[in-house]
Amino acid sequence: ESRYDVRVGPEFASSWLPTAAQTTRIAAGNDWRYDLNTRDVIAAREDITTADSTYDFTGVQLTYDAERMNSAVSGAGSVPGIFTEVPSTLNNEIRRIAASITADAPTRFQKAQVLQQWFREDGGFRYDLSEVPSAGDGSADLLAFLNDRVGYCEQFAASMAIMARIIGIPSRVAVGFLEPERATNGSWEFSSQDAHAWPELYFPGSGWVRFEPTPQSRASQPPDYTEAQFAEVTETPTPSAARPSEDLP
């Protein structure tokens, strides 16, 4: 557990309150409410923002077991259907790409690792804000991103999330901040330059797990567990029944 004391500058006016991914306690006054569906702390009224606000909370850093996630069963029945839905209008080429990339991975978790690696390195993608006019919200925009292979974090996050659903892994997109540099006074200073989006995939026993598909030029280091190595699974031949002797009656 870690205790956070937060002071927000006058220019950061948001209707949601930045917290740690896992928060056990928060004291932010009566102007804020906890949304059970999104697990966000949101403004109680439209005229409330984070600008010039102060608050404190306790956040929890979880340790994930890669072996446990690698052996996890399907989580599709453990979460609401909105996290497994794939639009019926989704281009079949996107489905084909997702299946092709992950075909050789033996488990759901390893398929997720392959997707992350494809976006970050193997697929030839490039992070660039200047060449992309919008994140897009439709099948055509997603396919264009996968073909052009240039975009920014929201596109990388949404693309990995929808491809995870295609191969049977519940997913969602989270928004927050990259970890900033530490200030000279010992505090950590976040700004809009640190704003980021990433996908979270659900594995029973571990919950919603963060992955990092955005290339290294923007997100330098993915979570350690997403790069875990596993022993190759080899099939053991099973003995067949002995062939009956022709001499027997």
Side-chain angles (χ1 to χ4, degrees), residues 13-242:
S14 170
S15 59
W16 54 270
L17 207 63
T19 65
Q22 308 290 341
T23 300
T24 57
R25 181 201 62 84
I26 186 166
N30 295 330
D31 290 334
W32 299 90
R33 302 288 185 269
Y34 182 69
D35 189 317
L36 292 174
N37 293 322
T38 63
R39 301 198 311 176
D40 288 332
V41 180
I42 60 176
R45 303 191 313 272
E46 291 185 359
D47 60 332
I48 298 297
T49 73
T50 55
D52 281 327
S53 64
T54 60
Y55 59 99
D56 63 83
F57 65 89
T58 301
V60 180
Q61 180 68 42
L62 300 181
T63 300
Y64 292 97
D65 187 332
E67 291 287 352
R68 183 174 186 179
M69 290 187 286
N70 192 46
S71 61
V73 299
S74 171
S78 305
V79 297
I82 59 171
F83 298 118
T84 59
E85 291 176 354
V86 177
S88 59
T89 57
L90 190 71
N91 191 293
N92 285 332
E93 178 64 10
I94 300 173
R95 300 174 188 270
R96 186 199 66 77
I97 293 172
S100 174
I101 293 167
T102 60
D104 294 333
T107 68
R108 293 177 182 84
F109 185 71
Q110 290 182 52
K111 289 180 185 295
Q113 288 181 304
V114 169
L115 281 178
Q116 174 177 275
Q117 179 70 11
W118 185 68
F119 282 111
R120 283 183 65 84
E121 296 185 26
D122 297 347
F125 285 86
R126 179 165 54 89
Y127 177 86
D128 194 327
L129 285 172
S130 63
E131 296 187 21
V132 186
S134 68
D137 58 3
S139 177
D141 295 307
L142 176 55
L143 185 58
F145 168 64
L146 296 177
N147 288 332
D148 297 340
R149 307 204 174 183
V150 180
Y152 53 98
C153 59
E154 291 172 344
Q155 292 174 296
F156 285 101
S159 297
M160 181 169 171
I162 196 64
M163 293 173 82
R165 292 185 186 184
I166 289 171
I167 60 175
I169 307 174
S171 67
R172 66 186 186 186
V173 173
V175 295
F177 299 92
L178 293 170
E179 185 172 296
E181 296 293 330
R182 196 160 194 173
T184 55
N185 63 0
S187 64
W188 297 91
E189 185 173 309
F190 295 84
S191 75
S192 59
Q193 299 300 316
D194 304 306
H196 191 52
W198 59 88
E200 293 180 343
L201 278 56
Y202 187 85
F203 295 93
S206 300
W208 290 105
V209 180
R210 177 176 181 164
F211 283 79
E212 186 50 82
T214 300
Q216 186 174 357
S217 61
R218 172 60 175 169
S220 59
Q221 185 62 42
D224 291 342
Y225 53 80
T226 66
E227 298 186 312
Q229 300 294 314
F230 302 99
E232 185 176 349
V233 178
T234 57
E235 293 186 6
T236 303
T238 55
S240 58

